[in-house]
């Protein structure tokens, strides 16, 4: 900072570039991004001191905003390598920087209320994520950030968050999810908070997933049924709005959460009773989209489970689910083909008893369910793809489906 004098924008632009993981034509490694996040705090403090004294170039505001945006992006760094979730190092460093930014009025004024709130919300989201140490850091730095901000910058929703954090300091260490699951009631930022909860509730750590799910169930039972609809829609938004690395990282957790929702009789019944047409249609569409081009066998099998359950429970979804299961009979992986055959056979066993909202049968009247079931049982789905696809065509013709 002293080298560049009042033209500190150069320093900030370099740090912003490093935080984005780019520099001199090469990808900047995680350790450099961590150091850039730490340095950003000192540089912004120096800039604020200069601005307070009336010195410096006012055009540096754009460089301050650029650096703040990079810090905000750093809170979404989920880089994984052979060492594990190394992106958490960047996220934790950025949390400290955001906490320091919130305590500097000149910087908050320069970057504006919206960006300040966005950074704090991203920290709060991580109080619900799966890594214990990150959750505790997020709690500490999120609360410190909120306490440093004036009320007019926080707004109503973040003031609610602050009240919850202050009142649950002891409880959070004992059961984090029970302490803050009420964040899902804060409509303004519900999608961010749902995203954090989904990573835990749909994660591969069985204990974390169970704690997150139990907290959700307890929260849901305390109030109106529309909570289930609202959170289901937020999970669907999470699936539909993500792209690139985020879509890949969130795909499996979102599918696992949706599978839990549709396999929980009370939750599924709530969806069927209060918002069947729209939400069921969106679930089927979202789950089917996760099967396209995927090579993740675990995710594919969970998607098929979810579709089979929905098809049997909601008549308006039966044909679409049967179509998706039929498509999977020709998948490149034998395990996926076999799983799809099992699920489609189970769905066909109940097809005669299912009705749509209008009381109609969901499948065409002249389909041959018995013959299709025989093909599903007799075919050897674990053999060649060519043979499996020939059997799939027989099933599709008998059920009036397309492949």
């Amino acid at each position: 900072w002293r080298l560049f004098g009042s033209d500190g924008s150069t320093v900030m632009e370099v740090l912003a570039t490093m935080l984005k993981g780019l520099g001199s034509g090469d990808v900047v490694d995680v350790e450099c991004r961590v150091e850039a996040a730490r340095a950003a705090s000192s540089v912004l403090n120096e800039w604020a001191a200069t601005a307070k004294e009336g010195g410096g170039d006012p055009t540096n505001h754009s460089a301050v905003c650029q650096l703040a945006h990079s810090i905000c992006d750093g809170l979404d760094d989920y880089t994984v390598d052979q060492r594990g979730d190394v992106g958490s190092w960047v996220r934790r460093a950025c949390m400290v920087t955001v906490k320091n930014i919130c305590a500097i009025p000149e910087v908050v004024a320069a970057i504006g209320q919206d960006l300040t709130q966005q950074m704090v919300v991203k920290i709060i989201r991580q109080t619900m994520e799966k890594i214990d140490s990150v959750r505790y850091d997020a709690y500490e730095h999120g609360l410190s950030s909120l306490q440093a901000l004036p009320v007019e910058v926080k707004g109503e929703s973040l003031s609610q968050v602050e009240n919850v954090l202050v009142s649950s300091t002891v409880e959070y260490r004992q059961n984090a999810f029970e302490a803050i699951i009420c964040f899902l009631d804060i409509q303004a930022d519900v999608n961010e908070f749902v995203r954090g909860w989904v990573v835990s509730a749909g994660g591969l750590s069985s204990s974390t997933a169970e704690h997150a799910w139990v907290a959700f169930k307890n929260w849901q039972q305390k109030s109106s049924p529309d909570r289930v609809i609202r959170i289901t829609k937020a999970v669907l938004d999470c699936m539909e709005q993500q792209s690139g690395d985020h879509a890949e990282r969130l795909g499996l957790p979102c599918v696992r959460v949706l599978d839990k929702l549709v396999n929980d009789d009370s939750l599924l019944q709530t969806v069927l009773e209060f918002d069947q047409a729209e939400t069921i249609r969106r679930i089927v569409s979202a789950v089917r989209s996760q099967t396209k081009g995927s090579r993740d066998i675990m995710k594919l099998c969970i998607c098929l489970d979810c579709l089979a359950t929905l098809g049997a429970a909601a008549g308006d979804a039966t044909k679409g689910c049967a179509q998706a299961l039929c498509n999977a009979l020709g998948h490149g992986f034998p395990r996926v083909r076999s799983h799809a055959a099992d699920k489609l056979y189970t769905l066909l066993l109940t097809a005669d008893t299912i009705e749509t909202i209008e009381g109609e049968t969901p499948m065409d009247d002249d389909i041959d369910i018995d013959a299709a079931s025989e093909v599903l049982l007799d075919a050897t789905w674990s053999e060649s793809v060519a043979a499996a696809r020939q059997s799939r065509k027989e099933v599709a013709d008998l059920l009036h489906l397309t492949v």
Side-chain angles (χ1 to χ4, degrees):
W1 179 267
R2 288 175 176 76
L3 174 65
F4 286 98
S6 61
D7 187 20
S9 58
T10 305
V11 179
M12 290 186 274
E13 287 166 1
V14 170
L15 291 177
T17 303
M18 289 177 66
L19 271 165
K20 288 181 181 294
L22 303 170
S24 304
D26 300 317
V27 175
V28 175
D29 62 25
V30 171
E31 288 80 1
C32 287
R33 299 206 296 278
V34 170
E35 294 305 324
R38 290 171 177 166
S41 184
S42 299
V43 168
L44 289 171
N45 200 45
E46 290 282 356
W47 176 86
T50 305
K52 189 183 295 184
E53 295 168 2
D57 184 351
T59 59
N60 280 354
H61 277 216
S62 63
V64 172
C65 290
Q66 181 184 354
L67 182 53
H69 276 289
S70 294
I71 293 164
C72 189
D73 292 341
L75 292 166
D76 283 324
D77 192 323
Y78 289 88
T79 304
V80 176
D81 65 13
Q82 68 275 13
R83 296 169 291 181
D85 180 11
V86 293
S88 65
W89 305 346
V90 181
R91 301 199 304 276
R92 294 167 82 173
C94 288
M95 288 180 199
V96 176
T97 300
V98 172
K99 177 183 70 173
N100 294 335
I101 284 174
C102 290
I104 308 173
E106 292 78 14
V107 177
V108 172
I111 65 177
Q113 181 183 28
D114 289 346
L115 182 54
T116 302
Q117 289 183 346
Q118 187 180 355
M119 290 191 294
V120 175
V121 166
K122 285 187 177 185
I123 294 178
I124 302 303
R125 180 195 72 216
Q126 294 178 67
T127 62
M128 303 183 79
E129 290 197 357
K130 59 185 178 180
I131 302 177
D132 292 349
S133 57
V134 175
R135 284 206 306 271
Y136 297 142
D137 276 3
Y139 183 95
E140 177 188 340
H141 298 314
L143 180 56
S144 297
S145 299
L146 288 168
Q147 290 175 330
L149 288 173
V151 174
E152 59 272 17
V153 176
K154 281 183 285 199
E156 183 180 350
S157 63
L158 286 182
S159 294
Q160 288 180 257
V161 170
E162 182 183 2
N163 291 337
V164 172
L165 293 178
V166 169
S167 64
S168 61
T169 303
V170 176
E171 186 184 359
Y172 186 80
R173 289 282 175 179
Q174 298 170 345
N175 191 330
F177 299 106
E178 288 285 359
I180 61 172
I181 193 69
C182 59
F183 285 167
L184 299 183
D185 279 321
I186 301 174
Q187 303 243 11
D189 303 303
V190 69
N191 279 17
E192 278 290 342
F193 298 147
V194 164
R195 181 178 151 192
W197 170 74
V198 159
V199 170
S200 294
L204 298 179
S205 169
S206 57
S207 61
T208 300
E210 182 181 358
H211 288 151
W213 184 254
V214 169
F216 169 73
K217 284 281 290 178
N218 292 339
W219 167 81
Q220 174 266 328
Q221 290 169 2
K222 293 175 183 176
S223 190
S224 58
D226 68 334
R227 282 179 159 182
V228 179
I229 305 295
R230 181 156 48 85
I231 298 308
T232 302
K233 288 181 177 180
V235 174
L236 292 167
D237 288 342
C238 187
M239 293 178 74
E240 294 165 357
Q241 293 170 4
Q242 301 302 322
S243 59
D245 293 341
H246 286 316
E248 188 62 31
R249 186 180 70 85
L250 291 169
L252 178 57
C254 283
V255 167
R256 287 170 67 95
V257 166
L258 287 176
D259 186 54
K260 287 181 178 181
L261 282 167
V262 301
N263 279 287
D264 186 299
D265 290 340
S266 63
L267 296 179
L268 179 58
Q269 195 58 39
T270 300
V271 175
L272 292 174
E273 286 180 5
F274 289 89
D275 198 25
Q276 181 179 14
E278 178 192 355
T279 305
I280 294 296
R281 185 169 57 247
R282 282 187 68 192
I283 293 174
V284 173
S285 175
V287 173
R288 288 184 69 174
S289 70
Q290 290 293 318
T291 66
K292 295 175 182 177
S294 176
R295 299 180 64 82
D296 184 332
I297 292 179
M298 179 187 290
K299 182 170 79 171
L300 286 166
C301 288
I302 294 172
C303 286
L304 298 178
D305 292 342
C306 188
L307 289 168
T309 304
L310 275 175
D316 295 82
T318 301
K319 190 165 186 176
C321 293
Q323 178 67 70
L325 292 168
C326 187
N327 290 342
L329 294 174
H331 197 277
F333 294 149
R335 182 180 164 191
V336 175
R337 295 197 297 270
S338 298
H339 197 69
D342 289 342
K343 292 301 174 182
L344 182 54
Y345 178 79
T346 303
L347 177 58
L348 293 180
L349 288 178
T350 60
D352 287 336
T353 65
I354 304 170
E355 292 184 351
T356 63
I357 292 175
E358 291 78 18
E360 301 170 354
T361 55
M363 307 287 281
D364 295 344
D365 291 334
D366 55 346
I367 62 174
D368 195 335
I369 290 179
D370 292 338
S373 298
E374 283 187 29
V375 176
L376 288 169
L377 286 174
D378 294 341
T380 309
W381 298 103
S382 59
E383 291 186 355
S384 70
V385 177
R389 288 178 179 171
Q390 181 58 41
S391 298
R392 178 182 66 172
K393 187 177 185 309
E394 292 179 41
V395 172
D397 290 343
L398 290 165
L399 298 178
H400 296 183
L401 302 173
T402 58
V403 292

